Amino acid sequence: MIDYTQFHAIFPGQGPTPYSNKDVQEIETLRKSFNGVLFIDRVLKALSIGEGRTYPPKGDNGLRSLHKHICESKVSAHHKLSVFYYLLLDHDLVRGMKSQLAEEFAESSGLPGKYQILMRGLWHMDRKEFKFALEYLAHPSLPSEFADEIVTVLVRHAKDNDYSLPLAYYHTTQPVFKTSEALDLLFGALVRTSITESLFFSRKYPENTRRLLFEKLVSSVLEEQSLGGARSKELVGLPLDGFEETWFQEYLTEGEGSKLKLAASTVETRQIITGRHRGQIRIRGLDEDGPVAKSARSVRAGR
């Protein structure tokens, strides 16, 4: 078994090192793009390793100092080894494809596989290699560690409204979110991807949260679409239950949703589709050949 308290038992004494001024600047640029927090920062904070920002270490002296902080921390050996494994992935990066320092260390130290999988996944996240990261972080052997943060990063860094990665992570791991921010971001991504699926998703939550999500669904669609657009047609044609039908009407007639430009016409279209208040169509001055009635007929016809 390797003696990890000995610096050179872990880190090579010769060859390229990953913490030159240029390397440190590149890591700091990545940190800035993540609103000032890398996943390794979260790991070190959770393990109470060091005081303040200790990663990336600056040069050999900085790495020795970080090694000392890790060894002196009051956490399990597996957690210490996990941080060393992450640091050795940095070394492998600058040494090229053939370098296997991290894997050799994991084998010689007896670091369990799930810790290797987690730390490699977080390492890829910190380098914005999100597809590679999910190959590890969605592994069934892992608990949903840092799930809120992973979803938040994946949604915020999605390109061209492609939310396949955060949704794939969620559907694979089924995490229970600890923060409203992560839930809100994931739901927003889901709404932009599939209106119907987001409706069914909202039904998993208690009534208060469920209603807030439902109202977010309605407002998100109406803020981006014109009446008669494909997504607004899908919205007014949703298979709502009794609670959702009431929330839909109240939100768009009395609540914050009533301020939306298409609120009134959307309510009317929904009423026509569901067969409610048929006799009021003419009384309200709605022409059966007008845009609202035409939109409703289009939805009923599935066009």
Side-chain angles (χ1 to χ4, degrees):
M1 182 70 71
I2 188 173
D3 182 4
Y4 63 80
T5 64
Q6 300 300 311
F7 182 81
H8 282 302
I10 302 174
F11 302 105
Q14 297 180 341
T17 59
Y19 304 121
S20 66
N21 290 337
K22 179 182 178 182
D23 295 322
V24 169
Q25 184 57 48
E26 289 177 355
I27 293 172
E28 291 296 348
T29 299
L30 286 167
R31 176 182 275 123
K32 185 176 181 180
S33 72
F34 288 122
N35 293 327
V37 185
L38 294 168
F39 279 93
I40 187 60
D41 297 330
R42 296 182 173 97
V43 171
L44 294 174
K45 181 178 180 180
L47 299 179
S48 299
I49 293 177
E51 296 180 4
R53 186 170 293 175
T54 56
Y55 179 87
K58 296 180 180 179
D60 185 69
N61 288 338
L63 184 57
R64 286 179 178 274
S65 177
L66 179 54
H67 171 263
K68 184 172 183 290
H69 283 307
I70 296 169
C71 290
E72 293 177 349
S73 64
K74 298 178 180 180
V75 296
S76 70
H78 288 160
H79 286 128
K80 295 177 182 180
L81 296 175
S82 296
V83 178
F84 289 137
Y85 180 81
Y86 182 103
L87 297 174
L88 287 172
L89 289 173
D90 285 346
H91 283 72
D92 284 336
L93 179 65
V94 299
R95 288 170 175 253
M97 295 289 292
K98 293 184 179 181
S99 180
Q100 297 291 322
L101 291 175
E103 294 305 315
E104 292 169 0
F105 170 76
E107 183 177 352
S108 62
S109 66
L111 179 63
K114 68 177 182 179
Y115 290 95
Q116 299 176 44
I117 293 170
L118 173 62
M119 297 308 292
R120 188 175 282 274
L122 296 181
W123 186 86
H124 282 298
M125 287 290 293
D126 283 342
R127 276 141 194 83
K128 292 187 174 181
E129 297 170 353
F130 300 130
K131 289 184 179 179
F132 290 116
L134 289 200
E135 291 180 9
Y136 298 94
L137 297 176
H139 195 278
S141 69
L142 295 184
S144 53
E145 201 75 28
F146 301 113
D148 290 53
E149 293 85 356
I150 291 169
V151 165
T152 298
V153 168
L154 291 176
V155 172
R156 286 180 172 170
H157 287 82
K159 296 181 179 179
D160 301 321
N161 288 322
D162 179 4
Y163 299 100
S164 56
L165 291 181
L167 295 179
Y169 174 76
Y170 173 79
H171 289 308
T172 302
T173 63
Q174 293 291 306
V176 177
F177 292 121
K178 299 176 183 178
T179 65
S180 57
E181 179 185 29
L183 175 59
D184 189 62
L185 284 170
L186 180 76
F187 189 71
L190 194 56
V191 170
R192 289 186 286 272
T193 304
S194 172
I195 295 172
T196 301
E197 186 178 353
S198 62
L199 172 68
F200 294 138
F201 175 92
S202 69
R203 292 174 177 174
K204 300 177 182 180
Y205 291 88
E207 183 175 335
N208 288 342
T209 302
R210 178 184 168 188
R211 180 166 187 170
L212 290 174
L213 292 176
F214 179 77
E215 291 177 351
K216 178 179 176 65
L217 163 61
V218 175
S219 63
S220 296
V221 176
L222 294 187
E223 285 171 354
E224 68 183 40
Q225 295 291 319
S226 60
L227 184 65
R231 283 170 58 80
S232 61
K233 286 182 181 179
E234 185 178 356
L235 173 67
V236 296
L238 286 173
L240 306 181
D241 64 18
F243 288 109
E244 293 157 349
E245 195 70 62
T246 299
W247 298 338
F248 186 89
Q249 301 292 326
E250 291 180 351
Y251 179 64
L252 292 178
T253 58
E254 306 168 11
E256 285 296 310
S258 62
K259 301 175 184 178
L260 296 170
K261 182 179 180 180
L262 298 175
S265 56
T266 300
V267 171
E268 294 289 357
T269 304
R270 178 68 186 178
Q271 290 176 344
I272 296 170
I273 292 169
T274 57
R276 299 186 178 196
H277 307 299
R278 291 178 184 271
Q280 295 184 22
I281 295 176
R282 290 188 180 279
I283 294 174
R284 294 190 180 196
L286 293 177
D287 186 346
E288 291 189 11
D289 291 324
V292 173
K294 286 182 178 179
S295 176
R297 288 196 295 271
S298 176
V299 173
R300 283 203 299 252
R303 296 194 297 269

